Amino acid sequence: KGLLIRGGEYLEKAYKVKAIVMDKTGTITRGEPELTDFYALPGMDSKELLSLVASAEKNSEHPLAAAIVTGAKAQGLTVNDPESFAAIPGHGVEATVASHTLWIGTRKLFRERDLDVSLLEDQMKTWELDGKTAMLVALDGQVAGLVAVADTVKPTAAEAIKQLHQLGIAVYMLTGDNRRTALAIAKQVDIKEDEVFAEVLPEQKAQKVLELKANGNVVAMVGDGINDAPALASADVGIAIGTGTDIAMETAGITLMRGDLRGVPQAILLSRKTVRKIHQNLFWALIYNTVGIPVAASGFLSPVIAGAAMAFSSVSVVSNSTLLKRFDPTK
């Protein structure tokens, strides 16, 4: 069925899940963003600035950086190696390109550097309301422009989340994006506003999972990246996307081999059906023994018949269990 389960422990826990936390990038969305927009303030050469921005992002491993580099190259712009590069987790990057210092990142990064971004605020809001991730650009300590990247929602994401809601499970979205962009994506897949965790730093993901657990929920975490591994480990059940990183799959208890998000409700449903079979088997085994032992002890049951009854008990349990082979997670 495309579900890799590392042990009975995870299969047994999954049926109790009441809340699922999903990372946005690579889980709800494709994780393959594209450069969509670029804006340079008056007096700046747009193409030259985009070339510098792409060069600054060249050594970054983040999908958004890769989208900027690919987009710049597609426009025929030169992308050089930066002279220096430093990632600022959850905020952006700082790099030196052709003797120019560039900062690319969030409002918080620019506030920390005392840069006024009011001239770009309206444009940022417009792009963010469209579900795009907008990043500010500063050149040599001065605000210079704005770059936007968009990541599309996976075709089956909305369907998977709808199925989880039908199973009575609350679905939370976790992202480092600003809240406006996060809500635009959440709206596409029918996740409520109060179930969106935005502007979450990588090291805070596990904390969000622990907060939900502290409220008495049995929590599952769905992710695909290196940054998701601590949260996957912190959850009662970690579910990794098979198309993601090895460390995420190594940490998780369940892996969706096909990378299809519909595997999440399928895994929950399989767990529920499996535990139901266990309960049925325990019930019938208890009935057999409750009835059979007193009858045999009182002398009304010959050893031959008692042995046959015991064998029938085992056969009925195995037969009931094998009915799970008919389980079709797509129905």
Side-chain angles (χ1 to χ4, degrees):
K1 309 300 183 184
L3 304 173
L4 175 62
I5 302 169
R6 296 174 67 88
E9 172 191 357
Y10 304 104
L11 187 62
E12 188 173 354
K13 280 184 179 179
Y15 91 98
K16 300 177 183 177
V17 167
K18 292 300 180 184
I20 290 182
V21 181
M22 293 186 178
D23 182 58
K24 180 183 79 69
T25 304
T27 302
I28 292 177
T29 63
R30 293 178 181 272
E32 300 173 356
E34 297 179 352
L35 175 65
T36 57
D37 303 275
F38 187 79
Y39 174 76
L41 287 173
M44 300 295 302
D45 185 308
S46 179
K47 289 187 176 181
E48 181 182 353
L49 182 60
L50 179 55
S51 176
L52 290 171
V53 168
S55 298
E57 295 280 17
K58 186 177 180 181
N59 288 348
S60 174
E61 296 179 352
H62 199 286
L64 300 183
I68 294 172
V69 173
T70 301
K73 288 181 177 178
Q75 296 181 33
L77 301 179
T78 302
V79 179
N80 299 310
D81 291 322
E83 293 150 28
S84 68
F85 171 84
I88 307 169
H91 293 80
V93 301
E94 179 177 350
T96 302
V97 180
S99 300
H100 292 288
T101 299
L102 287 104
W103 295 328
I104 307 161
T106 64
R107 292 176 177 85
K108 187 173 182 180
L109 175 67
F110 278 56
R111 282 198 299 268
E112 290 176 353
R113 284 159 172 72
D114 297 321
L115 295 177
D116 181 11
V117 299
S118 56
L119 290 175
L120 297 170
E121 190 62 41
D122 288 343
Q123 185 62 65
M124 283 190 78
K125 288 180 179 178
T126 300
W127 288 348
E128 288 166 353
L129 287 171
D130 290 335
K132 299 173 183 177
T133 299
M135 291 166 280
L136 293 156
V137 178
L139 180 66
D140 295 327
Q142 300 295 320
V143 176
L146 198 60
V147 59
V149 173
D151 190 6
T152 56
V153 171
K154 288 182 177 179
T156 59
E159 182 183 348
I161 292 168
K162 179 181 178 181
Q163 291 172 1
L164 288 169
H165 286 154
Q166 290 172 344
L167 292 173
I169 297 172
V171 181
Y172 296 82
M173 187 178 80
L174 193 66
T175 178
D177 281 342
N178 69 81
R179 187 159 184 82
R180 194 175 290 112
T181 300
L183 291 177
I185 296 296
K187 186 177 181 180
Q188 295 180 47
V189 293
D190 198 26
I191 293 179
K192 300 175 184 176
E193 287 190 22
D194 59 354
E195 294 175 345
V196 174
F197 299 134
E199 299 179 31
V200 178
L201 298 177
E203 60 269 22
Q204 295 174 332
K205 290 184 177 182
Q207 184 59 40
K208 292 297 182 182
V209 172
L210 293 174
E211 287 175 9
L212 288 174
K213 289 176 67 175
N215 292 332
N217 295 303
V218 176
V219 180
M221 168 69 190
V222 187
D224 73 322
I226 294 173
N227 291 334
D228 299 327
L232 289 168
S234 300
D236 294 293
V237 181
I239 303 176
I241 304 296
T243 52
T245 61
D246 290 342
I247 191 171
M249 288 184 279
E250 184 65 28
T251 306
I254 299 174
T255 299
L256 311 181
M257 300 306 295
R258 298 192 183 101
D260 188 338
L261 207 56
R262 289 176 297 183
V264 177
Q266 291 170 8
I268 301 295
L269 191 57
L270 175 61
S271 173
R272 291 184 179 183
K273 287 185 176 294
T274 301
V275 172
R276 190 177 301 138
K277 288 294 180 187
I278 291 171
H279 291 167
Q280 290 171 358
N281 291 341
L282 287 171
F283 172 78
W284 286 112
L286 183 62
I287 291 296
Y288 273 117
N289 285 282
T290 301
V291 175
I293 290 174
V295 173
S298 60
F300 293 108
L301 203 62
S302 72
V304 173
I305 296 176
M310 201 65 196
F312 182 75
S313 171
S314 298
V315 169
S316 66
V317 166
V318 173
S319 299
N320 188 41
S321 299
T322 55
L323 290 176
L324 271 175
K325 292 179 69 176
R326 301 190 305 184
F327 170 66
D328 185 352
T330 62
K331 294 182 180 180

